Amino acid sequence: MKKTTGMDRATTRNWRPATQAVRGGTWRSEHGETSEAMFLTSGYTYDDAQTVADRFAGEAQGMTYSRLQNPTVAMLEERIALLEGAEACRAQATGMAAMTAALLCQLSAGDHCVAARAAFGSCRWLVDNLLPRFGIETTVVDSADTAQWEAAIKPNTKVFFFETPANPTLDIVDLKAVCAIAKAHGITSVVDNAFASPALQRPMEFGADVVAYSATKLMDGQGRVLAGAICGSEEWVLETLMPFQRNTGPTLSAFNAWVVHKGLETLSMRAHQHSRNAIELGEFMEARIVKAGGEMRHPGLPSHAAHALATAQMDATGPIFAFDVRTRERAFAMLDALELIDISNNIGDARSLMCHPASTTHAGLTDEARAEMGVTEGLLRINVGLEDIADIAEDMDRAMKAAGI
Ligand SMILES: *Cc1c(COP(=O)(O)O)cnc(C)c1O
C-alpha cells in the first residue's frame, strides 16, 4: 500500500483535529482510491517462507492475521491517534471491549483501582463486579470532587478510571488536576472520552495516560456500528495493551472500521453542530424545568456547577445533557408525548434520542449505587441531534406540556 498524505507524521502531526479526522493516516493502494479501501480478509499470504518467519519474529513489518493487524483497521488506528494527539491507538470491537481491555491489560490481583462513581452502567459493572472477582480492589469516588481522588489512593493503587462528562449525570472531572495527582503517585489515568470525542476534548493535552473510546457514539455518529478504541503511549500500547489484546481478541472488524472512517470525516462539523443545538435546547427548557421544581444538568449552561471547567477543557460541550423532572410519572409522560425525538438509549447519533436512565442504561445497578451517583427516578437524558433546532424544541415543548411543565 502506498502511504500518501498521512503516514509521514513529520508532515501531518501538526494538522488540526478536523483535518486529521478527514486525512490523518491515509494509506492508498496502487489504485489511488480516494475513499479508504475495505480489506475484508482474516488472513494474509506471503511470497516466501522467510518473509512470514520475519514477521512472526517481529523483525519485519507486515500483516499476519486480522486479529493482530488489518490494513483498514490499522488506518483507523493511525487516524484516531493523530486526532487524539496520542503516540499509538488500537481499535476495539466495542466501547466496552475497549474499557475492559484498558483495565484488565494492566491490573492484577492485589492491585487497587479508583474509579468515578458516576459512570456508564457497564463501566460501573466492571468496577463493582468484574475487577473484584479477579482480586482487584476498587474504590468509587465523587469524581467532580478532586480531593476525593487523592484521598482514595493506597500503596497498591495502579489505575484511576473515569469519564468526563459522565454518563448520565454530566458530572465534570478536572482533567488537569486529577491526571496530575495520578502522575505524582505513579498511577495510570484511564479516561473514557466517549461523550466528547477527540473533536471536542483531548484528555492527553491535560495529562491523561490512556484514553478509551466507544466509537459507536460520536465517531460513527449515525447509529450504524459498534466500535471502540484505546489510545496511549507507544510503549504502553506495545508492552501493556498488546499482549492482552492479541491473545484475547477484542478486535474491530474491517467493515466496522470502514464505517467509522466515514463517520470521522464529518466528526468535527457534527460534534460542533450537536453542541450548538444542545445549548439552544437547554436554554429553551431551563426556566420551565426549574419553575416546575426540576433541575438542568447541562455543562454548556452557566447554571452547571462546573460550567467554567467544562468550557475550559472542552472545545464545545457536546450533544448530551440531562434534566431531572423529579418523578418517574413526569419523566414517562414526557417520553410518551414525543413525536420527533425517539425514545432510545443510544447517544452520539444524528437523531435526537431521549431515555430514562434509571429504568434502562442504569437499571442493572443497585438502588444504592443509582442514588449515590444521582440517577434519580425523574432523570431524563437527551442526545440532541442534527435536526433543525426549531423542530426539536417544538417536540420538547409538547413533551413538557404533557408532563405539566
Ligand atoms: C456507550 C458508552 C460505552 C460503551 O460503548 P459500547 O460501544 O456501547 O460498548 C462506554 N462508556 C461510555 C461513556 C459510553 O457512553
Side-chain angles (χ1 to χ4, degrees), residues 94-96 120 123 163 167 192 194-195 214 216-217 226-227 347:
T94 66
M96 283 322 300
F120 184 67
C123 293
E163 54 198 68
N167 187 355
D192 175 347
F195 258 42
S214 168
T216 313
K217 310 296 167 56
L226 286 142
I347 55 168

Side-chain angles (χ1 to χ4, degrees), residues 287-356:
R288 278 161 72 176
I289 296 288
V290 170
K291 190 159 169 251
E295 181 196 345
M296 291 293 283
R297 294 194 198 164
H298 191 324
L301 297 183
S303 57
H304 191 284
H307 173 65
L309 176 61
T311 50
Q313 64 190 23
M314 303 178 80
D315 294 351
T317 47
I320 303 140
F321 66 87
F323 52 97
D324 194 336
V325 294
R326 303 302 182 205
T327 65
R328 180 182 281 229
E329 290 67 38
R330 266 178 163 180
F332 277 29
M334 283 190 72
L335 287 168
D336 291 342
L338 295 171
E339 287 180 9
L340 178 147
I341 302 166
D342 291 305
I343 300 175
S344 172
N345 45 286
N346 199 10
I347 55 168
D349 193 296
R351 291 155 196 78
S352 291
L353 308 172
M354 198 154 108
C355 81
H356 179 249

Side-chain angles (χ1 to χ4, degrees), residues 8 41 53 91 127 206 292 299 377:
D8 176 11
T41 182
V127 169
F206 301 94
E377 283 296 309

Side-chain angles (χ1 to χ4, degrees), residues 133-197:
R133 263 172 49 198
F134 295 97
I136 299 155
E137 246 189 294
T138 62
T139 303
V140 293
V141 297
D142 174 355
S143 59
D145 179 357
T146 302
Q148 290 198 18
W149 290 95
E150 180 121 47
I153 295 172
K154 300 182 184 190
N156 57 341
T157 306
K158 277 202 73 179
V159 167
F160 277 2
F161 177 45
F162 61 90
E163 54 198 68
T164 181
N167 187 355
T169 53
L170 282 299
D171 289 349
I172 302 291
V173 179
D174 187 333
L175 279 167
K176 199 167 159 201
V178 173
C179 294
I181 293 168
K183 205 140 273 172
H185 292 84
I187 294 164
T188 303
S189 47
V190 176
V191 180
D192 175 347
N193 200 31
F195 258 42
S197 90

Side-chain angles (χ1 to χ4, degrees), residues 219-252:
M219 287 196 197
D220 169 38
Q222 287 142 86
R224 299 167 296 193
V225 297
L226 286 142
I230 305 175
C231 298
S233 71
E234 184 98 33
E235 186 189 356
W236 186 86
V237 166
L238 290 181
E239 289 173 17
T240 304
L241 175 63
M242 279 315 287
F244 179 89
Q245 180 165 353
R246 63 192 295 141
N247 295 301
T248 58
T251 314
L252 182 64

